[in-house]
Structures are given as C-alpha cells and as structure tokens.
Amino acid sequence: MSSIMSRLGCKPLFFDGAMGTVLQEKGLAAGEAPELWNLSHPQDILDVHTAYLEAGADIISTNTFGANPFKCRENGIEMEKIVAAGVSLARQAVQQAGYGTVALDIGPSGKLLFPMGDLQLEDAVKAFGQMTRAGVAVGADCVLIETMNDIYEVKAAVLGVKENTSLPLFVTMTFDEDGKLLTGGDIKAMAAILEGLGVDAIGMNCGLGPGQMLGLIRELRACTSLPLVVNPNAGLPKERDGCTYYDVGPEEFAAYMKEILQAGAWVVGGCCGTTPEHLRQTVKLCKNLRCQPLPEVHRTVVTSGSKAVEFGDKPIIIGERINPTGKSRFKQALRDNDLPFILSEGITQQDAGAHILDVNVGLPEINERSVMCDVVTELQSISSLPLQIDTSDPETIAAAMRIYNGKPLVNSVTAKRSSMEAIFPLVRKYGGVVIGLTITEEGIPETAQGRVDAAKLIIDTAAEYGIGRHDIIIDPLTMAVSAGQDAALVTLDAISRIRSELGVYTSLGVSNVSFGLPQRENVTSAFFLMALQTGLNAAIMNPISEPMMRAYRSFCALSGYDENCMAYIEAYSQTEAAASPIAVSEISLREAIEKGLKDKAARAAEELAKTMTGLDMIDHEIVPALDNVGRRFEAKALFLPQLLMSADAAKATFEVIKTHMDGQASEQSKLTIVIATVKGDVHDIGKNIVKVLLENYGFHVIDLGKDVPPKTVVKAAKREKAGLVGLSALMTTTVASMRETIELLHREAPEVKIMVGGAVLTQEYADMIGADFYGQDAMASVRYAMQLAESL
C-alpha cells in the first residue's frame, strides 16, 4: 500500500475492470443503481474487489461512480453513507489481500454546466468536493475522476478534489473514435487543460474498445509529459439471446493492452464489459513490460472548451477590440451592461481571422470582476476561440480564471515582485499561459538588454512557483516611435534576443508604435511586418484592419505558413467588398441564429415581422439556419456549445414570432414526441440536448425526465398520441431498462416509432433491442423526426 506515485513508471500498473456489468451477472436489476449495493449487498461488492486483486490489480476503484450528491438526493439516500461504505469495502479487500491501492471513483454529475445547462460551476465544485471529503475520511489512497465528456465539468471536478485533498489525482475522459468529447474538446485541449490544473496522470476510459483507443493514445502521448491511464471497454456492446455482451474476449483484450503500454501508457485496466479474467490475462501478458520513458513535451497552448491554439512558428492574432481604451462606444456598452454589443465585437473579430480574443473590461465606474466574469461566460457560449483575460487586478484574474472553460491566456504579469507574487499562484492553481511584461521596479528598461533581463527574472521566478517557461510569453513592449527615434529598433532587438537566448515565445501590442502619428495604420502595419520577420509569435491587434490583415496574410504566404497560399487566395480572390468582414450589427436573422446571438436574432425577427409572415420566417430563415448549423455540427465544424447557442437564438426568434402569429407557429408541429432517460439512469444531458433541438424545429415534445419506468413511457405515449418515443441511456447498467421499455412499447403501442441514443449504444445494439432508429448525435435524431413528420 505504498504511495502510488512512487510506483508510477517503475513497471506497468493495473487498474481493475468493470463493476456494473459484473454486478449484473450477480443479479443487479435493470435500472438499479450499482452504488446502492454498497449497503444492500456488501459481500458481493467485496467479492468483486477481491477477484480483481487476485487477478493482479494494483489499484481498485470504489463502487462510487454515480454516488454524487445530485443522484443520491434524487434516490433519497445520504451521499456520505454510500461513499463511506464504498471506500470501506475497497479498503477491506485491500487489507485482506495485503496489497493494493484504493482509488475513490468519481463519475460525471449527469448534468450540463451553465451556460449550456443549469448547473452552476460552484455548485458542481461543491458537490465533487463533498464526495471527495467523504471518501478521503474513510481511507481512499488516491482519486480517479473518470468517464468525463465535458472539459468544463472535469475542471469543476478537479477543483472540487484538489481543494479538499492532496491525494494523487488521475483523470480519464471519454472520447469518440475521432478523438472528440461530447462538448467538442479534443485530445490536445484536454491534455493542456489537465496539465495546467496540476493533475498527476491523465488518460481515457469507456466509450471505445482497446483497438479504437490505440491510435488516440499515440496522439495523447505526443501531447503531454504526464503519465497515461487507459481503461477501455471490452469492445462494443452487443446482444445475444436477450443478454448484453461485449465482443473483445480476455486474450484479445490483453494483446491490445500490450500495444497500448508499448505506445506509452503506464497504467491500464478495464471499463464496461471487462471482467477479472480480462485483467488476469492482461497482467499475465504485460506485467514484465518496461514502461516507456515520459517524453519531454513543452507546448505553449491555450484553449477554450473545444479549441486549442498552439504557439509556434505561425504567428497568432489576438483580437484587441474588446477593450475600452480609446473606444467611447465600447465604454458606454460597459456602463450600460450592453452584452450583445460586446459579444458582437468578439464574433466580428472571430470572423475576421482572430485566433484568440482579448477581453479587457476595465473602467473605474463599473464592477470589473463581475463584468469580466459575465463577458467571459457569455463570450465562451457563442465563440470557440480561446480568450485572453486582460486586467491588472489580481482579484479579477482569479475570478475569471476560475470560471473560464479551458486554459486561458492571462495578460499580464510584470517583473515587479508584487505582481509576480499575486499572479503566479493563480496561474499555478488554475492553469494558464501568462504574458510577462518587461516592466521592472524602475519602470520600462530603455535598452534591449534591460528588457531581456526583465524577461529572465519573470521566467526564473515563475519556475519557483512550478510554472515552466512554455507557459510564459514575453511582451518586450512597443513604445511610440514618435517619442523615441530608436523605440521600434529596441523592441525588435529585444524580440530577437528573447527568442534566441531565453527560448520563450513573444507577443506585442503593435499599435502603440504609431501613437501620435497621422495615418497610423501605415506605420503600424510596416512595424508589424518587421516584428514578424524578427520572430514575433503573437500580436494583439485589430483583425478588422485590412492593412494589418494584408500584412499578416502576405507574411504567412511568403514564409511558407499558408499552404499553397490558400488562405491568401480565399481572402482576396473575390472583390474587396466581399473580402471585408461583415459587421455583426448588419447581419441577417439567419446569420444571427447561426452565430448564436439571441438578442440580435430577436431584433432581426422583429424587423422581418413587419414585411414577412411568421411561417415564411420559419421556412426561409429559421429552419435553413438550423439546418446549416446541424450540417456543420455533423461535420464537426462546430460543436455542442455553439449548437445549443444557435438553438437558443432560434428559440428567441420563435418567441417573437408567436407575438405576431396568434398561435400559428404550432402548425409547424406535425409530430408529438415523448422523450425520457430510462429507468435507473439519471444522466439526462443527451436527452436535454435533443429536446432543445426538436422544439426549435417545431416539434411538440413531452419530456418525462430521467429515471423513467417503462410503464410511464408507454402511458405517456398513448395519452399524448405520440408518433415517436426517444429513449436515452448513458450507463451500461441501464440499457436493459431501455430494452424492457421498447418491448413494452411494441406490445402496447406498436404504432409508435422508437429512437434511442446514448454513449453506451451502437447501431448494432439498437437494432438488437428493437429500436427503429439509432441517433448517433442530437442532429441525427432531429433529422429522423423530420423524415417521420414528412411521412405523416
């Protein structure tokens, strides 16, 4: 029972396998929560732990995956009691065996966090913290956060754990075969965020079999220096004679796990469908393998919840327009809390080619901390771009970093001791890339050497806080050439020396160079080109400025960063007017919906209502917009947050239409749909997403909620004269309830069509349990409903 961290890398370590599917063999009923067996069937739980230890497990996971406060409250049980019993049983098994490590198992809450859902970040952090305290109090050795498919929720879980214990923390997430999470995040983003949050090992589990995971593990290994944990399913679920089984047997599973270890994993085990025999064969084949050394991966990456931007050779554009400096209209928007205007500035810059959006809301007369958090939250709900949190106030930085979904860029820290002492602990806790301004206690050094020295002090001090130089970007400061003849040359010299001598990336606010001069863009764009040629990696600039973007695109084409000059050609092969970005204030209703701008969509609908009927608006604006968003979602050109924000914008439009149509909007609903998460399953994320989209396509949706018994589904379908029933399940242990519901529908309401969805389902499995349609994602379910409605 030595510390698990001291054993990592010495030899392969082995997690246990599935709990729920093994308990089903012992009599766990369809829809019954496995965690309840900690109290009702303790010997069975103890036997499962013992079997995995005897098979060679080094780490056993407590039977607490779904024992979060939300689920326990809904089941009318005390969370602390369930968790304590689960950890105690695992501890008892380890003590009887004389070896082994107990991992407190924490799964997802089953809810979407705000703004996509209604669960507030701090409520999620509190819930995961409560679960952590309950497990640590009775003897957990480490914590495993697993089966997470939302980066924002995993951040809440990590904060909840780390703020309540210093035990080792492992995190595994659930990806699809393309390496994407439900909310759109990818492997590169996940690795950067979890490294930044300071977890001890990362990896993936569930959703896929070992064969499908192998390529993803190789990708993950190239992204991180952290140890990797890999716990696949035993293949994909199938059905035979009314029973669910998984199609990868113990010996085949072990062979795949050997390849996964050789690809760089240090800890392996199993998830759904795996058994003690799967683990036994894996240990037998793999126990004498040598762990691959951890690679030296030092990437400078910032991310949103769904998009990673990596600093390197190709320069990065940081859009500067969400900033009140010199902008009277923007200042007034801040005073009026005019979020739609502020958000439109972000979308305009995104469309113009920005890679990161700077967010600065500092005005003396407003509550900067509150406004910053509001803008960050709302902007992240409509844009996939990472953000730069730009403020001199440490409290505002702390609040914004805490609620930020991803790994942000932070602007900034200086070489002053007070600044570093305030900012570096925040970067260490929340994870981020911080811009270091070369300002010392004496001010801005006049020479390039002085700025290099200031940069070195920032880098060396950051290291004392455990922050690597790859998470530092140096801004050697742009001074006005009108006030100093050699100002630009000093900055350019500093850029070159910081890159070559200190090995960190650089950033500049380039527009300062032309302050006080006429026709400023002439000087600014020329200086920008000179800085890029010198090695500048990122510029805080106005991407709406055509001279600046001409300089940028030309530089990228000439420097080989624009393959076949395609970006340049795309921008300038049309007329000048077409190449210019469209101002968000002029966008159409369709564009507002596609961009997820609720207020803009509502205002555009009000204008159109003067000349267009509501039904025409639906047919010619709303539905085409949603269809385009749906196609982009299916093509993975945008992801769940943007999909839901577009749905919200469409909903705002429908509300306007209803006031002008005297109820005619209901004529669009040709099909009544009953949806439910099946008995025993309280995870309703997927169901809620489908509901929102169906309603925005005009369908009448009856949502029965979660943990719904089969008879309740059938009764509702008959009462509402539903033409379609949608069933959702996230947990392997509840797919039997889905099958039972389908069988009852076939007997008592045979005319009703049935569609199913959920992370544990496949097309083959859906066919086997008698579903009419398998929705691989939310939009696929919508398209099936549309086809069905057209046939009525």
Side-chain angles (χ1 to χ4, degrees):
M1 289 184 282
S2 60
S3 169
I4 193 67
M5 295 306 297
S6 67
R7 298 166 60 200
L8 277 178
C10 298
K11 67 178 185 65
L13 296 180
F14 300 94
F15 258 104
D16 54 7
M19 175 62 76
T21 49
V22 173
L23 291 183
Q24 286 178 324
E25 296 294 323
K26 293 178 175 289
L28 180 73
E32 186 178 4
E35 297 81 15
L36 295 178
W37 276 38
N38 293 340
L39 302 177
S40 62
H41 297 73
Q43 187 61 49
D44 287 312
I45 303 300
L46 183 62
D47 289 345
V48 174
H49 289 322
T50 300
Y52 279 122
L53 288 166
E54 290 176 348
D58 298 290
I59 312 168
I60 57 172
S61 308
T62 59
N63 183 35
T64 55
F65 172 81
N68 61 70
F70 308 112
K71 183 174 181 179
C72 288
R73 192 178 305 127
E74 289 166 355
N75 286 329
I77 57 178
E78 184 181 347
M79 179 272 294
E80 286 81 2
K81 189 174 182 179
I82 289 288
V83 172
V87 175
S88 296
L89 288 167
R91 172 60 54 206
Q92 183 180 344
V94 165
Q95 289 172 343
Q96 290 176 356
Y99 57 86
T101 297
V102 175
L104 173 65
D105 192 315
I106 297 177
S109 66
K111 298 176 178 291
L112 277 173
L113 270 67
F114 182 83
M116 287 194 295
D118 57 6
L119 179 60
Q120 296 293 328
L121 175 73
E122 291 304 329
D123 291 334
V125 173
K126 179 181 178 182
F128 290 122
Q130 290 172 339
M131 196 173 173
T132 300
R133 290 195 301 275
V136 171
V138 288
D141 299 311
C142 63
V143 180
L144 171 67
I145 298 171
E146 63 155 314
T147 322
M148 290 287 181
N149 51 31
D150 177 6
I151 280 177
Y152 203 30
E153 183 175 26
V154 89
K155 176 176 181 175
V158 169
L159 291 176
V161 172
K162 292 180 74 67
E163 291 177 353
N164 288 280
T165 184
S166 59
L167 289 178
L169 174 58
F170 302 163
V171 178
T172 57
M173 303 194 74
T174 301
F175 294 89
D176 65 17
E177 291 190 50
D178 295 320
K180 297 290 186 182
L181 299 169
L182 172 67
T183 49
D186 60 14
I187 287 173
K188 181 183 287 188
M190 178 268 268
I193 291 165
L194 292 178
E195 274 192 343
L197 289 169
V199 308
D200 296 296
I202 64 174
M204 56 188 70
N205 79 291
C206 204
L208 301 172
Q212 292 93 348
M213 277 192 188
L214 182 57
L216 301 184
I217 290 302
R218 293 191 176 110
E219 182 181 347
L220 178 58
R221 180 70 287 166
C223 291
T224 180
S225 298
L226 289 176
L228 300 187
V229 181
V230 186
N231 296 327
N233 289 347
L236 301 175
K238 296 185 177 181
E239 183 165 310
R240 181 191 300 125
D241 300 326
C243 297
T244 301
Y245 74 98
Y246 285 78
D247 62 359
V248 176
E251 292 186 0
E252 183 183 2
F253 185 86
Y256 276 123
M257 299 315 288
K258 180 179 179 180
E259 290 189 71
I260 285 173
L261 284 163
Q262 291 171 334
W266 277 11
V267 188
V268 296
C271 200
C272 299
T274 56
T275 66
E277 187 59 26
H278 283 82
L279 184 63
R280 192 184 322 279
Q281 294 298 326
T282 299
V283 173
K284 178 181 176 181
L285 185 64
C286 303
K287 64 182 179 181
N288 293 321
L289 293 177
R290 298 182 64 180
C291 289
Q292 300 295 317
L294 295 178
E296 290 287 331
V297 180
H298 300 302
R299 304 178 307 138
T300 301
V301 180
V302 295
T303 83
S304 63
S306 61
K307 184 179 182 65
V309 171
E310 183 169 359
F311 288 74
D313 294 330
K314 185 175 180 179
I316 300 297
I317 296 173
I318 304 171
E320 69 177 6
R321 290 174 59 86
I322 303 180
N323 189 317
T325 304
K327 303 181 183 75
S328 58
R329 175 67 182 88
F330 194 91
K331 289 179 180 178
Q332 193 58 46
L334 289 175
R335 297 186 187 103
D336 297 339
N337 196 34
D338 184 0
L339 282 178
F341 175 82
I342 297 170
L343 298 181
S344 71
E345 289 292 286
I347 292 299
T348 302
Q349 293 178 96
Q350 175 179 283
D351 292 347
H355 305 112
I356 298 169
L357 299 177
D358 180 76
V359 180
N360 184 318
V361 296
L363 275 185
E365 62 265 42
I366 69 170
N367 184 330
E368 183 184 9
R369 175 177 173 176
S370 175
V371 174
M372 174 67 82
C373 290
D374 287 346
V375 172
V376 166
T377 299
E378 292 292 329
L379 193 53
Q380 287 205 290
S381 73
I382 61 169
S383 173
S384 63
L385 296 186
L387 305 183
Q388 174 171 273
I389 298 167
D390 187 355
T391 175
S392 59
D393 177 38
E395 290 188 1
T396 298
I397 290 176
M401 291 189 77
R402 187 172 181 87
I403 58 97
Y404 183 81
N405 184 5
K407 181 181 181 183
L409 187 58
V410 178
N411 190 15
S412 55
V413 70
T414 71
K416 295 181 179 181
R417 178 62 56 181
S418 60
S419 175
M420 293 187 286
E421 288 176 348
I423 303 303
F424 285 149
L426 301 177
V427 175
R428 177 62 177 167
K429 177 176 181 177
Y430 294 115
V433 174
V434 63
I435 291 182
L437 306 181
T438 53
I439 302 174
T440 68
E441 304 289 354
E442 291 75 33
I444 300 174
E446 294 184 359
T447 65
Q449 181 61 52
R451 298 183 197 182
V452 172
D453 292 341
K456 187 175 186 305
L457 177 59
I458 292 170
I459 295 166
D460 291 345
T461 306
E464 297 174 7
Y465 288 85
I467 300 168
R469 65 180 59 223
H470 59 283
D471 282 331
I472 302 289
I473 293 175
I474 296 297
D475 183 340
L477 300 170
T478 307
M479 308 302 291
V481 71
S482 60
Q485 186 171 331
D486 62 348
L489 297 176
V490 169
T491 298
L492 296 173
D493 187 20
I495 291 173
S496 177
R497 294 184 57 186
I498 288 167
R499 289 288 294 117
S500 61
E501 296 175 21
L502 303 181
V504 297
Y505 295 120
T506 57
S507 174
L508 280 179
V510 293
S511 63
N512 293 340
V513 73
S514 61
F515 184 78
L517 295 176
Q519 307 264 336
R520 290 184 61 184
E521 283 187 328
N522 294 336
V523 175
T524 302
S525 59
F527 174 69
F528 181 37
L529 267 177
M530 294 171 70
L532 291 173
Q533 187 62 37
T534 304
L536 180 68
N537 302 107
I540 304 174
M541 55 172 273
N542 179 9
I544 309 303
S545 166
E546 192 53 35
M548 295 294 289
M549 292 305 292
R550 282 198 191 102
Y552 175 78
R553 294 186 182 110
S554 299
F555 174 82
C556 289
L558 293 168
S559 300
Y561 301 137
D562 181 2
E563 187 173 356
N564 297 320
C565 299
M566 292 306 297
Y568 184 91
I569 291 170
E570 182 180 358
Y572 300 114
S573 61
Q574 304 299 319
T575 64
E576 193 68 22
S580 300
I582 300 173
V584 175
S585 59
E586 302 170 0
I587 66 176
S588 67
L589 172 58
R590 186 182 302 188
E591 290 169 320
I593 293 172
E594 291 181 6
K595 294 177 187 298
L597 297 170
K598 298 187 289 290
D599 294 277
K600 294 283 185 183
R603 286 200 290 270
E606 287 285 2
E607 285 299 311
L608 280 179
K610 298 174 182 177
T611 58
M612 182 182 288
T613 68
L615 291 178
D616 282 344
M617 210 183 301
I618 291 170
D619 290 338
H620 301 302
E621 296 287 335
I622 301 175
V623 171
L626 289 173
D627 283 345
N628 188 42
V629 170
R631 284 191 293 270
R632 294 179 64 204
F633 175 75
E634 291 170 329
K636 299 189 177 180
L638 59 75
F639 300 99
L640 184 59
Q642 292 77 41
L643 181 71
L644 291 181
M645 292 307 107
S646 291
D648 280 348
K651 186 179 295 185
T653 305
F654 274 114
E655 291 302 316
V656 172
I657 291 173
K658 287 177 183 177
T659 66
H660 293 275
M661 289 183 64
D662 296 326
Q664 294 178 58
S666 61
E667 296 176 13
Q668 289 295 299
S669 179
K670 300 178 181 179
L671 180 69
T672 295
I673 305 172
V674 170
I675 62 174
T677 300
V678 298
K679 176 67 178 175
D681 205 321
V682 298
H683 300 86
D684 59 355
I685 292 175
K687 172 185 66 66
N688 291 342
I689 294 166
V690 171
K691 175 188 176 183
V692 169
L693 294 178
L694 286 171
E695 288 179 335
N696 277 283
Y697 273 84
F699 293 106
H700 179 47
V701 181
I702 308 297
D703 183 3
L704 301 181
K706 52 197 174 185
D707 190 18
V708 182
K711 289 184 179 179
T712 303
V713 175
V714 174
K715 183 177 180 180
K718 295 169 71 174
R719 181 185 67 245
E720 302 293 339
K721 296 182 173 58
L724 177 63
V725 168
L727 302 175
S728 173
L730 177 71
M731 301 167 62
T732 305
T733 54
T734 59
V735 291
S737 292
M738 181 177 284
R739 181 177 62 242
E740 182 182 347
T741 305
I742 291 173
E743 290 173 350
L744 193 59
L745 280 166
H746 284 167
R747 288 198 303 270
E748 299 191 17
E751 71 285 356
V752 175
K753 297 294 185 181
I754 304 165
M755 66 178 180
V756 298
V760 296
L761 296 177
T762 63
Q763 180 66 62
E764 182 179 4
Y765 192 82
D767 293 340
M768 288 180 177
I769 62 177
D772 296 293
F773 179 77
Y774 163 60
Q776 187 172 8
D777 56 47
M779 279 308 304
S781 299
V782 170
R783 299 209 188 284
Y784 176 69
M786 292 172 66
Q787 293 171 5
L788 195 59
E790 290 172 0
S791 67
L792 297 179

